[in-house]
Amino acid sequence: MSASTRVRTTTTVSAPAPERSGPTRIKGNGLAFWLFFTPFLVGLCVFTILPLLWGGALSLFEARGTVLPTKFVGLENFRGFLVDTAFLQSLRTFIIFALFIVPVTMASSLGLAVLINGLPRFQAFYRSVFFLPTACSYVVACVVWRLSLFNGLESGVVNTLLGLVGVDSVAGWLSSSPYWWIVLVSVRLWLQVGFYMLLFLAGLQAIPSQMYEAAAVDGLSPGGFRMFRMITLPQLRTTSAAVLLLQLIAAFQAFDEFYNLTGNNPETRPPLVYLYNIALGPQQDFGTGSAGALVLTAIMIIAGLLQTYLVGFDSSDDGPRRGPLRFLPRRPRRPSSSPAREAQR
Amino acid sequence: MLGRNQFSRRTALGLGGMTLAGAGLAACGGNTGGLTDGGGGGGETLSQWYHQYGEDGTKEAATKYAEGYEDAAVSVNWVTGDYASRLSTALLSGGGVDVFENNTINVDKAEQGRYVELTDLVEPVKDQFNKASLGPVTIGDAIWGIPMLLDPQHFYYRKSLFEKAGIAPPETFDDLVAAATELTTPDQKGLFLGNNFDASCWAMVWAAGGTPMNEARDAVAYNTPGYAEGLGAIQQMIADEVLLTGAPSDWADPAAFGAGLSAITWGGCWALPVLEESLDDIGVFSHPAVGSEGKQVAFMGTWNEQVAGNSEKVDAAKAFAQWLWIDQTDSQTDWALNYGFHIPPLTAVADEAAALKDGNGLEIATMAKEIGVTGPPEWTGEISTPHADAISNVLKNGADPAEELAAAEEASNRAIGS
C-alpha cells in the first residue's frame, strides 16, 4: 500500500504524503559508490577514452614508430585511403565475406533454433552441444581447421571425405580461390552459429502458444511452412534485426581467422588485418593506422544506422514497411486487455 | 570467525578496498616474463633482450655469455611471444632495455633516436664481417647494429632421387623447373615453395638480376624481365601440379620435406641439423639464376645486436655489445653452431668453425660468403605491400606477372615519394 493511500486508525485522515519523484537516493553510500566505481572509471578513461582521443590526434600527424609525433599533416592520412587500392580491396573482401557469412549464419542459426524448439525432450542437451563451440578460441579453431580438416594432403579430413564420395581432393584449400572462402566461412560458422541460435531460441520461446493455436484454428497446419512464414518469422522480426546487426559488426571485425588461415593474401585481407599490418606490423605507421581506424568506425556506424533504418528494431506495425524484411506479413495484433474491454466481457 | 552481525557493510567495503589496493600493488610488481640475473662483474647493471629462440640450450648460453662479462652485471631478458611489438614499446617508452637483438632495423626509429649509432664500433672492423651482413644495419653511412647471426635460405634436395633420375643440381631456374617436373610422382611432388608458392620469390628478386631498391634508395629495382619470367615459370608449375601445397606446416619447418612430400624444397639453414638427422641423402643448392641477366644467390636473414637510444648506460651497453659480438669469438661460434645451425657473420670465425669445413655446412657457408644477399633497411612495409600483393595476385589468382610487377613498382615508388 502506498503512502498516499494509507489511512490512520484515528478519527482524522492523514493528508496524502507528497510523492517523491526521481530515483530513490540511498543515504550513506557515497563512499562505497566511489570506491567501487572509481577503478572502472579510471580503466575506462585510461584504456578507452584516452586512446580514442589520442588515436584521433595521431590521425592528423605523421607518426611512424612513435606515438609522440611532431609533423602535422592534417587530413593527408585520410586522403591516402581514398586512393589506396589495397584498402579498397580489403573493403571488397569484407563485402564478399559478409555476403557469404551473414545469410548462411542467419539461416543456420534460425534453422537450428526452430529444430531444437520443436524437440519434445533433450532440448538442453542439443542447445549445449551447438553452443559449446562458442567457448573455443578462434586461434585454436583456425589451427585445427588448417592442420587437420583442410590441410591439402590426401589424408586431410575433408579430402578423405571427398575421396569417399568420389570427388578429387583439393590441395590448395588456403592458397586458391574459391576454396579459401569455404575454410574461412566454415570456421566462423562453427564458432558462432550456436550463439545466434540461442538468441533465436529465446525469441521463439517468447512467442505465445495461443498464436499458433489461433492460426491452427484459422486453417494453418501446425509445423508447416505457412505457419512459420505467417506467425514465427514476423514474431522474430526484432530478434532477426538484432542478429543481423550483430553479425554485420562481427563480420566487419573479422580478424583472427583471416590472420591465422590466409596471412597476408590481398584477396583475403579484411580491413582490420590491413590496418593491423600498417599500425602494428613492421611499418608501425600509427598515423595512417589511426586514420584508417576512424574511417572504419565511420563506415561501421553508417552501416549500422542504415541497417537499423531499413530493418529497424521497432515492433510497431504502423507506418510503411521498409527494407529486406518488408515482405513479412504484419504482426498479428495482441488483444487489448484494457479495463474497459474487460468490463465489456 | 565473523558472525553475521559482525560482517557488516563496512567490513565488506573494507575488505573490498584492501583487495583493490592489493591488486594495484600486485600490478606494480609484475615482471617482464623472462628476466634472469646474469650475475657478472661490477660497475653498471645492463638489461639485455633476446627473442625466444627455438633451439634447446640457447637461453642458458645467453646467460652464460652475460655472466662471463667482467665490466658490468648483465641481466638477460628472454622475451617470449611477440618480440617485435614488445621491443618497440620498450624502445618508445624507455622500458628497461639497454642492449638488444633485432632482425628488422627500421629507418624511422633510427632517425628518431631509438637506436644508438654503432659506426664507431663496426667501422674499424668492417672488413672482417661478411660483406652482405652489413646491408641490413647500414643506413646511408651510419651503422646501427652488429651482425650476430646469418641465416641463408636455399634449396634442399634428395641426392638419391637426383642420382636415380640422372639430374644435376640446378644452376638455372629452367633446370629447376625441369628437375621438379621430372621428380613429380603420384606420391611425391617435385618441389615445395611454401603453401602459398611464394617462399623463394624474395630471393628471386636478386636471382633475376634486380635488387629490392636501387643504390640511391629513391626507387625500387625489383621489376625486371627475369623476375616476370621466373614468376611465370612458377605459375606454370602450379598449373602442372608440380608444386606441393596444403602441407600441415609451411616451408620454414622442414617437416613436409622430411616426410617425403616433395623431392626439393625451399628452406633455411636452421633446418639442416634436423634434416641430416632424419635423412641421409640431403643436399643443398642456392637459388638458381633466373632469365638472361640472372645469377645464383642465397638470401640471408640476419639478427643484429643494438643499443637502445633511451638507455641511461649507452657507453656500458656499447662496450658490452662490442665485447660479445666483435672482440671475443668463442661465444659467436658457440651461439651459431652448438644449438642449431647458423653462420657467424665474422668471416674469420666462420672459416674456423668445424661444422662449416665440409659437407652441406661448407656448401652453405660458401654460399653465405660468396653469393649471400640481404635486404635494405629502407625496404619498409609501405614499400613492400604492393610487391607482396603483386606476387600473391600472380601466384594465387593467375594474374599476368609483367603487368602486376609494373603496377607494384609504381605503387612502391609512390610510397617512397610519400
Side-chain angles (χ1 to χ4, degrees), chain A residues 19-331:
Chain A
E19 284 200 25
R20 290 170 56 181
S21 59
T24 307
R25 182 176 170 80
I26 303 170
K27 290 183 179 175
N29 277 339
L31 178 65
F33 169 79
W34 286 110
L35 188 65
F36 282 99
F37 178 63
T38 303
F40 295 99
L41 181 65
V42 169
L44 182 73
C45 290
V46 171
F47 296 111
T48 304
I49 295 170
L50 186 64
L52 269 174
L53 297 174
W54 204 305
L58 281 176
S59 69
L60 303 173
F61 284 83
E62 184 182 284
R64 289 194 178 93
T66 179
V67 290
L68 300 168
T70 53
K71 189 178 173 186
F72 183 79
V73 294
L75 298 177
E76 190 56 42
N77 289 329
F78 292 91
R79 196 166 27 245
F81 279 104
L82 298 176
V83 293
D84 185 349
T85 51
F87 179 68
L88 298 175
Q89 168 105 325
S90 76
L91 289 176
R92 200 187 70 168
T93 297
F94 153 69
I95 291 167
I96 293 170
F97 180 61
L99 285 175
F100 273 119
I101 195 73
V102 173
V104 173
T105 308
M106 283 284 277
S108 309
S109 51
L110 180 57
L112 281 175
V114 169
L115 285 173
I116 288 174
N117 195 45
L119 286 173
R121 60 175 72 92
F122 300 126
Q123 264 198 33
F125 170 75
Y126 285 106
R127 200 170 54 220
S128 304
V129 165
F130 287 115
F131 184 71
L132 264 180
T134 309
C136 181
S137 145
Y138 266 77
V139 176
V140 171
C142 288
V143 170
V144 172
W145 250 244
R146 191 180 71 235
L147 297 184
S148 174
L149 298 184
F150 289 98
N151 71 38
L153 306 179
E154 298 276 349
S155 57
V157 173
V158 175
N159 279 342
T160 304
L161 292 174
L162 288 176
L164 290 176
V165 295
V167 178
D168 288 343
S169 62
V170 176
W173 282 109
L174 292 169
S175 59
S176 51
S177 180
Y179 300 114
W180 55 48
W181 289 116
I182 295 171
V183 183
L184 289 163
V185 168
S186 61
V187 70
R188 179 165 277 245
L189 195 65
W190 182 74
L191 284 162
Q192 69 175 16
V193 77
F195 173 72
Y196 295 113
M197 177 205 74
L198 272 192
L199 295 185
F200 277 122
L201 204 52
L204 284 170
Q205 288 170 353
I207 301 172
S209 58
Q210 296 92 324
M211 299 194 84
Y212 289 108
E213 289 161 11
V217 169
D218 284 345
L220 292 183
S221 57
F225 179 71
R226 282 194 71 206
M227 179 80 86
F228 177 75
R229 202 176 85 78
M230 305 301 285
I231 304 293
T232 308
L233 266 186
Q235 289 296 314
L236 288 176
R237 187 161 179 265
T238 311
T239 310
S240 303
V243 167
L244 188 62
L245 183 62
L246 286 172
Q247 282 187 29
L248 274 174
I249 291 170
F252 218 96
Q253 292 177 328
F255 179 88
D256 306 65
E257 65 269 51
F258 287 91
Y259 187 80
N260 287 291
L261 288 171
T262 58
N264 203 20
N265 173 10
E267 289 287 307
T268 53
R269 187 174 55 200
L272 279 194
V273 173
Y274 181 62
L275 289 181
Y276 174 86
N277 289 336
I278 287 177
L280 299 171
Q283 216 166 315
Q284 295 216 308
D285 188 343
F286 299 123
T288 308
S290 299
L294 290 174
V295 168
L296 271 192
T297 306
I299 292 172
M300 283 172 81
I301 290 170
I302 291 165
L305 290 173
L306 195 67
Q307 192 264 352
T308 307
Y309 172 75
L310 291 175
V311 179
F313 288 106
D314 65 312
S315 56
S316 84
D317 291 310
D318 303 328
R321 279 291 171 88
R322 296 180 297 258
L325 300 185
R326 65 182 180 279
F327 62 87
L328 295 176
R330 290 187 184 281
R331 180 196 298 255

Side-chain angles (χ1 to χ4, degrees), chain B residues 129-388:
Chain B
F129 279 95
N130 175 303
K131 191 182 170 192
S133 71
L134 295 171
V137 296
T138 306
I139 302 170
D141 294 327
I143 298 171
W144 298 90
I146 307 170
M148 296 164 52
L149 284 180
L150 297 176
D151 282 335
Q153 292 173 25
H154 47 79
F155 285 101
Y156 288 102
Y157 72 102
R158 302 287 300 275
K159 286 179 178 175
S160 59
L161 296 176
F162 271 56
E163 283 164 14
K164 193 176 171 185
I167 301 169
E171 293 182 3
T172 69
F173 206 70
D174 289 344
D175 294 344
L176 176 65
V177 174
T181 307
E182 175 76 21
L183 295 170
T184 297
T185 67
D187 300 322
Q188 184 181 62
K189 294 294 182 185
L191 176 61
F192 186 40
L193 294 177
N195 282 325
N196 296 322
F197 317 117
D198 61 355
S200 65
C201 289
W202 187 230
M204 193 191 274
V205 169
W206 287 271
T211 51
M213 300 182 81
N214 63 11
E215 282 289 324
R217 303 289 193 258
D218 58 0
V220 294
Y222 58 74
N223 182 15
T224 58
Y227 197 21
E229 187 184 317
L231 293 173
I234 296 177
Q235 273 184 330
Q236 192 56 51
M237 285 194 284
I238 295 168
D240 295 342
E241 298 187 354
V242 165
L243 299 183
L244 173 67
T245 185
S249 55
D250 218 335
W251 65 273
D253 180 346
F257 179 70
L261 298 177
S262 73
I264 313 167
T265 186
W266 181 255
C269 66
W270 55 86
L272 185 67
V274 174
L275 286 174
E276 285 191 329
E277 202 172 308
S278 59
L279 300 165
D280 59 1
D281 62 341
I282 293 295
V284 297
F285 61 88
S286 59
H287 195 295
V290 186
S292 55
E293 303 293 313
K295 59 181 182 184
Q296 290 174 277
V297 297
F299 171 73
M300 300 192 293
T302 63
W303 280 96
N304 313 287
E305 193 79 320
Q306 291 187 269
V307 173
N310 55 25
S311 168
E312 293 172 356
K313 306 150 191 167
V314 167
D315 291 340
K318 283 175 70 174
F320 172 66
Q322 181 178 11
W323 170 81
L324 185 55
W325 299 110
I326 296 175
D327 294 347
Q328 60 81 47
T329 55
D330 291 348
S331 301
Q332 293 169 34
T333 311
D334 180 63
W335 185 244
L337 294 160
N338 284 358
Y339 311 99
F341 185 90
H342 312 273
I343 306 295
L346 283 167
T347 48
V349 176
D351 289 343
E352 287 303 308
L356 305 180
K357 284 191 182 294
D358 56 19
N360 289 319
L362 175 62
E363 285 275 348
I364 295 170
T366 307
M367 279 183 215
K369 194 173 179 178
E370 295 177 2
I371 55 172
V373 292
T374 49
E378 291 86 353
W379 181 260
T380 63
E382 257 177 315
I383 300 165
S384 75
T385 296
H387 170 260

